[in-house]
Every structure is written in C-alpha cells, then in structure tokens.
Amino acid sequence: MTRTSLITGASSGLGAEYARHLARRGDRLVLVARDRERLSDLATQLEHAGAPEVEVLAADLATADGAEAVRARLTDPARPVDVLVNSAGFGLPLAFERNDIEDEARHLRLHVEVPMRLMHAALPGMLERRSGTILNIASVSAVMPRSTYGAVKNWQVQFSRWANGAYRGRGVTVTAVCPGYTHTDFHARLGLPRGEEGIPDWLWLEAPRVVEESLRDAERGKAVSVPSKRYKGIWAVSQLAPSEVMARLAARGR
C-alpha cells in the first residue's frame, strides 16, 4: 500500500530530508512551507528521482489562514494522510529579554499551537483507519534549560509521550524526534555559516542519519527518538544534572 506523508517545514532543513527519504521509500508527498518556489523546486527534484506523487501546499503556518489550509488537507476524507511530520519551526536568540515579544509569540505558536492543531486534525481519520504515524520534530534541548526554545520542545516531547501512550494501542504511533546539533541550513538562517556556530565537531549529526533513526524508532512504536549514542548519553545525563549546570552548557553555541 502506498502511503501519503504530509511534511511541514518541507522546503529546508530536516523537513526537506524527510521528504527525500519518504519519497525514496515510495510515499506520496504533501509538502508544506511558506516558500512556494522552494517547494516547487524540491517537488521537481523528487519527481525526477522517482517520487510517485508530490503535492505542493504553500502555507504560512504562523497565520490562521495557513494553519486552516493544512488542517483542511489533513481532514479531507477523499485523500487520507497516513504520516504527519511536524517539522516547521525556527530559532531565536537566547536573550529572551531582548527579543521582540511578537517574535516570541510566533515562535510559541509555530512550535506548540500549530502541531497541536494539526495532530487534532489528523488523528480522527488515522484512528478510524487504525493506522497512522505522527512525528513531532523536537530537540535534545527539550531536557535543557534553553530559553523558550527548550520550553517549546519540552512541550512537544511531553505531549508526544502522552499521545503515544493514548493512541498506540489504537494503531497510531506518535514520536517526538529529539536530535542534537544537526547539519542543515537552520543555523545559516540565524546568520551562522557552517563552522561558525560555536559547536564542537563531535556534537554534529548529519540529517540523513537523524531521519533514518527516527523513522525506525517510530516503526518500533517509540514515543521519543534520540538519534545517536552520544545524544542518548547527553539526554540521560541532562535529566540528572542540576539545572544551573545544564543551563550553562546549553548556552554554548546557537
């Protein structure tokens, strides 16, 4: 059976890597992001590589109209979605007191309210079919005091843990994906070219590995996926170390 996967934040970063991986395994794709041109370019690449079907849905999820457009697609009974990847997001400087509060509100909406709304839209159909997979792209920062970024990612992890327990027995797996520093264009969009992020080389992961491990963990029914042994170790230590120690460590780099 050919699955349909809807990916938010699909024009770049981990979202684009999920799109490439899921296309290779033969999924039909619904690509969601603000930039229609970048989405169309990616769709063309994926179709040339053999993707069976690629649908482009340009929508700004930080707006009510954009979120509604994606909700409507997820609830269309004629075109069911089997896999939802909530990957849309962005980062802000850690100095909360100097950030524009409207940027912070948009950050909160995109990382918390939007995934919640999209899961709420996707779940009824998945539960009726007794089959579905939801991945919420969180971060290892979820267990570190790291301004509002750590806070929103912690919400994604805790809600995913609850949802996986509530719905896995009914055929729907919900997995929070918690990578560490991963080579994508995320940091470049913050004005930090590769090599200037202030992060030691040994902490970096490659995007294909994150995607492969997380999808494997989702297939195994795991509520939380922490790719790589090094970050599994950091995750375990972070939950035991004093908050002030972890806050100092988490303040390194961007």
Side-chain angles (χ1 to χ4, degrees):
M1 181 185 73
T2 301
R3 287 168 288 199
T4 296
S5 293
L6 186 148
I7 307 156
T8 70
S11 63
S12 62
L14 282 174
E17 191 61 40
Y18 276 102
R20 287 187 281 268
H21 185 98
L22 293 170
R24 284 195 298 271
R25 81 174 189 185
D27 289 20
R28 291 183 293 262
L29 302 178
V30 183
L31 306 180
V32 179
R34 290 182 299 171
D35 192 326
R36 181 181 295 278
E37 184 176 352
R38 291 186 71 177
L39 282 181
S40 297
D41 288 345
L42 177 59
T44 299
Q45 295 171 24
L46 296 175
E47 288 169 344
H48 286 166
E53 182 180 334
V54 184
E55 176 185 345
V56 167
L57 177 52
D60 183 351
L61 287 168
T63 67
D65 287 347
E68 171 57 24
V70 181
R71 185 207 66 79
R73 178 62 184 85
L74 285 167
T75 55
D76 183 347
R79 299 179 297 165
V81 170
D82 306 289
V83 179
L84 168 63
V85 181
N86 282 312
S87 186
F90 66 97
L92 290 170
L94 299 181
F96 170 74
E97 76 283 2
R98 294 199 296 269
N99 290 342
D100 185 290
I101 192 60
E102 295 307 321
D103 289 342
E104 287 284 3
R106 180 170 172 266
H107 181 262
L108 179 67
R109 173 174 169 77
L110 198 58
H111 287 271
V112 174
E113 182 181 344
V114 168
M116 179 182 68
R117 287 183 178 276
L118 299 189
M119 285 179 63
H120 191 264
L123 274 166
M126 290 181 175
L127 291 170
E128 183 178 351
R129 296 187 298 273
R130 298 193 64 81
S131 176
T133 302
I134 297 173
L135 292 96
N136 294 316
I137 311 308
S139 167
V140 75
S141 295
V143 290
M144 297 180 179
R146 190 173 170 84
S147 191
T148 51
Y149 187 75
V152 296
K153 294 304 183 182
N154 183 268
W155 184 91
Q156 291 181 347
V157 169
Q158 296 305 323
F159 188 67
S160 297
R161 290 178 65 191
W162 171 83
N164 195 59
Y167 302 122
R168 184 182 170 192
R170 299 169 64 186
V172 180
T173 298
V174 182
T175 303
V177 182
C178 299
Y181 293 107
T182 304
H183 280 308
T184 66
D185 58 357
F186 178 86
H187 288 85
R189 289 162 65 193
L190 287 173
L192 297 166
R194 188 163 178 159
E196 298 181 18
E197 307 95 342
I199 308 299
D201 288 345
W202 67 273
L203 281 174
W204 285 102
L205 301 174
E206 297 301 326
R209 177 179 182 177
V210 170
V211 170
E212 289 168 11
E213 288 196 27
S214 65
L215 288 171
R216 186 165 60 245
D217 285 343
E219 289 174 0
R220 293 170 177 169
K222 291 188 177 182
V224 179
S225 172
V226 183
S228 84
K229 291 182 179 178
R230 81 197 79 155
Y231 276 107
K232 285 181 173 67
I234 291 171
W235 181 276
V237 170
S238 297
Q239 297 182 79
L240 299 174
S243 294
E244 59 270 21
V245 173
M246 294 312 303
R248 287 197 296 271
L249 292 175
R252 296 184 61 187
R254 291 282 293 279

